[in-house]
Amino acid sequence: MTRLFNDPAAFAEEALEGFAAAHRRWVRPVTGGVVRAAATPAGQVAVVIGGGSGHYPAFSGLVGRGLAHGAAVGNVFASPSARQIHSVARAAHGGAGVLLMYGNYAGDVLHFGQAAERLAADGIDTRTFAVADDISSAGPDESAKRRGIAGDLPVFKAAAAAAEQGLPLDEVLRVAERAGARTRSFGIAFSGCTLPGADHPLFTVPEARMAVGLGIHGEPGIGEEALPTADEAARLLVGTLLKELPEDVADAAGQRAAVILNGLGSVKYEELFVVYRKVAALLGEAGVEIVDPEVGELVTSFDMAGVSLTLTWLDDRLEELWRAPADTPAYRKGALGTPEQAPVTTQVQDTAVPAATAVPSASDASREAAATVLAALDAVARVVDAHADELGRIDAVAGDGDHGIGMRRGSTAAHRAATDAHGLGAGAGTVLARAADAWADKAGGTSGALWGTILRSLGTALGDQDAPDARRVADGVTEASAAVRRLGGAETGDKTMVDVLVPFADALAAATAEGLSLTGAWDRAATVATAAAAGTADLLPRRGRARPHAEKSLGTPDAGAHSLALITRAVHGALLDH
C-alpha cells in the first residue's frame, strides 16, 4: 500500500513537484504537468502525452528528447483536465502543431478532445490519438473500445521519434496510427492496489488465484485462474497475444516484434526476469524475432502485484523508430548529442490564461442568487463527502472504485472556487463558471469533465445580470443534460449518470412549465432522480471502465447515477433554506 503521503488530496501535485525538482536536466514544471527543459525546436511537432497519476514512469517520466515534449498529469487515476492539457501543450508547442496522445479511457478522451478544441481556437494545429492496446477489454471487432495500458510506450515513442525526424503533423499522426494498430497487450495480477489514504485495495484476489485481463486503474480482471508458476504465466501471456495478430500479419513466424514485459508496481525485477526468460523462449519457438526488449516498470498501478506483456509487430519503419535514441528521466536508449542548455527553474510556469482575481460586473439580484448557488455547492460537497466511501464501493463492483474520491476532490474544489468568487462579488453565472473549472481541474476523469459541463451550462443559463427564476434554472438543467450527452456520447440505458440526468431535467422542465416554484419543481424532479438511479441496478453498462465487467454490475446501481441523485436531493435542501 502507499504509505508515504501528506494530504491524500495533494498527493499527485506533491509527487509531480518532487519529480520536477529531481529531474531538472530533463524537465521543467508548467501548470498541469511538465515539458522538456529546453524548448521544442522550431518547426518540430510537439508530442504531448498524459493521463492520471499513479502510473509512473508514465507519464511525466517519459518527457525528454526522443520521446514526449510534454506530459499533462492528472490526479490519482484521473485524467488531467482540459485546462491542464491546454496549458502543457501551449508550453510545448514549437510552431509545427501538437499531437495529443493518451490511453483510451472515457475521461481522457473527453478532456484531451476539449483541449484540442481550445488549442485549435488559439490557432495551434492539433491532432489527437488514443492508444487502445489491451485485448482483454474488448474483442477484435470492437478494438476501438479497448483501453490503453503498457502499449502506450511503443506507440508514444514511434510518434515522438517521427517528430524528432522533422515529419509534419499529419505524418506523425499516421505513424501513431500504424504503431497503435500493430500493438497488443495482456496482463495478469495477484493483488490490487491501494490509493494514498485508503485503508483497503481497490480490488482483491483470492489466495492462490490470479486476476486475468486487469486494467491499470484498479479495475478487476475479467476472470480468475489458479496462481501460476513463472513459466505458466509466460505461456498464458504469450499464447494469448499470439492468438490475435494484426490484420496484415498472417503468421508470427518470421515477424519482428518490440517486446515489453511490464511490472505493475510490486513485482520485483528478478521475478520479471524469470518470466521473461520463458517469454523469450516461447516467442523464439514461434519464429518471432525480438527487437530491443524492455523488462521493467514502465506503466504501473501504484503497488499492484502483476505483469503485462506487450507486443508491437514491427515493419522496417516502425523498427527504425523503436530503435531510435531517447533520453528521458525514466527511459533511455542509444546516444544523443549534447542537449541545448535550458534555464534551471524550480517554479511552476503558468502558460494558461491566468484566472482573474476580478469578476465581471453583476446585478444585485444575481449576486443574491449567487449566495443560493454557493449554499447549494456547499450542500453538494457535504453530501459527497458523507457518501464518498459508499460511492467507491459501488464503483468497485465493476469499475476502478475511485468515483467517491474523484467526486470529493471535484465538489470540494468547486465549493472553494465558488466561495472565492462570491467573496469578490460575482454573480450567479460567474460563481458557477469558476466552480465548473475547479471541479474539472481537480477531479479530472469522466466525472470531472461532465460535472464541469453541468455547472458551466447552468452558469451560462443564469448569467450575471438577471434574477434567475424557476424556468431559467430548468432551461439550464435541460441544456446541461444535452451537453453531457453530446460530450460523453452516452444515452439513457447505457448505465451512466445520463440515466438520472435526462429524467431529472425532463421532470424539472415539466414541473416549472406547470407553474411550480423552483423548490417544489426541484423536489418533484429529485424524487424522479432517486427512482431513476435505483433503476440503473437492472442495467448492463455499455460505456466506461465498467463495460468489460458488465455482468458483475447487475444488481448494483451506477455510481455516477447514484451520486447525481444524492446531489439533487441535497440541493433541494439548500433551496428550502434559501
Side-chain angles (χ1 to χ4, degrees), residues 349-376:
Q349 298 179 1
D350 193 346
T351 62
V353 176
T357 53
V359 295
S361 61
S363 68
D364 291 340
S366 185
R367 284 195 291 269
E368 184 177 343
T372 302
V373 169
L374 182 59

Side-chain angles (χ1 to χ4, degrees), residues 89-177:
R90 283 181 60 90
H93 184 226
V98 174
L99 175 59
L100 302 176
M101 302 186 71
Y102 45 92
N104 189 32
Y105 298 89
D108 293 281
V109 172
L110 294 180
H111 286 291
F112 277 90
Q114 289 179 322
E117 293 174 356
R118 297 185 188 186
L119 290 165
D122 293 343
I124 298 175
D125 201 10
T126 306
R127 304 288 185 274
T128 65
F129 184 77
V131 180
D133 59 302
D134 180 15
I135 67 171
S136 69
S137 54
D141 56 335
E142 293 185 304
S143 58
K145 294 182 179 179
R146 289 175 169 173
R147 57 199 174 195
I149 52 175
D152 283 355
L153 174 61
V155 181
F156 291 169
K157 187 175 187 304
E164 291 279 353
Q165 293 176 349
L167 271 63
L169 180 58
D170 284 333
E171 291 189 34
V172 174
L173 174 60
R174 280 193 286 273
V175 166
E177 292 170 341

Side-chain angles (χ1 to χ4, degrees), residues 298-309:
L298 296 161
V299 180
T300 62
S301 185
F302 272 114
D303 59 333
M304 184 183 291
V307 299
S308 65
L309 181 65

Side-chain angles (χ1 to χ4, degrees), residues 226-311:
L227 188 67
T229 64
D231 284 1
E232 289 168 345
R235 290 189 188 95
L236 174 63
L237 294 169
V238 173
T240 302
L241 290 181
L242 290 184
K243 289 177 183 177
E244 188 189 314
L245 302 176
E247 291 181 0
D248 56 351
V249 176
D251 191 292
Q255 298 294 323
R256 293 163 289 168
V259 179
I260 298 174
L261 184 64
N262 175 60
L264 285 162
S266 64
V267 174
K268 308 307 293 182
Y269 272 68
E270 286 86 348
E271 295 175 89
L272 292 174
F273 292 137
V274 172
V275 175
Y276 183 73
R277 54 173 274 287
K278 190 63 175 180
V279 167
L282 291 169
L283 289 173
E285 292 170 8
V288 178
E289 178 186 347
I290 298 173
V291 179
D292 283 5
E294 296 286 348
V295 179
E297 294 184 344
L298 296 161
V299 180
T300 62
S301 185
F302 272 114
D303 59 333
M304 184 183 291
V307 299
S308 65
L309 181 65
T310 297
L311 302 180

Side-chain angles (χ1 to χ4, degrees), residues 462-549:
L462 268 57
D464 287 332
Q465 298 305 319
D466 299 323
D469 56 18
R471 192 60 180 268
R472 180 171 292 187
V473 172
D475 288 346
V477 173
T478 297
E479 172 51 33
S481 173
V484 164
R485 281 176 284 164
R486 286 194 303 269
L487 181 62
E491 292 293 344
T492 54
D494 286 345
K495 194 164 188 172
T496 70
M497 71 182 303
V498 168
D499 289 298
V500 171
L501 184 56
V502 169
F504 173 75
D506 291 347
L508 186 64
T512 55
E514 292 175 18
L516 268 67
S517 67
L518 177 59
T519 303
W522 197 284
D523 182 27
R524 180 189 295 181
T527 300
V528 169
T530 300
T536 62
D538 299 325
L539 299 176
L540 287 173
R542 297 199 291 249
R543 288 183 173 271
R545 294 180 190 170
R547 183 184 52 78
H549 314 285

Side-chain angles (χ1 to χ4, degrees), residues 24-26 28 36-40 65 327 337-345:
R24 296 175 189 169
R25 170 186 153 191
W26 290 275
R28 58 186 171 91
R36 292 187 190 179
T40 298
R65 290 187 304 155
D327 183 26
T338 303
E340 176 184 346
Q341 292 299 310
V344 173
T345 177

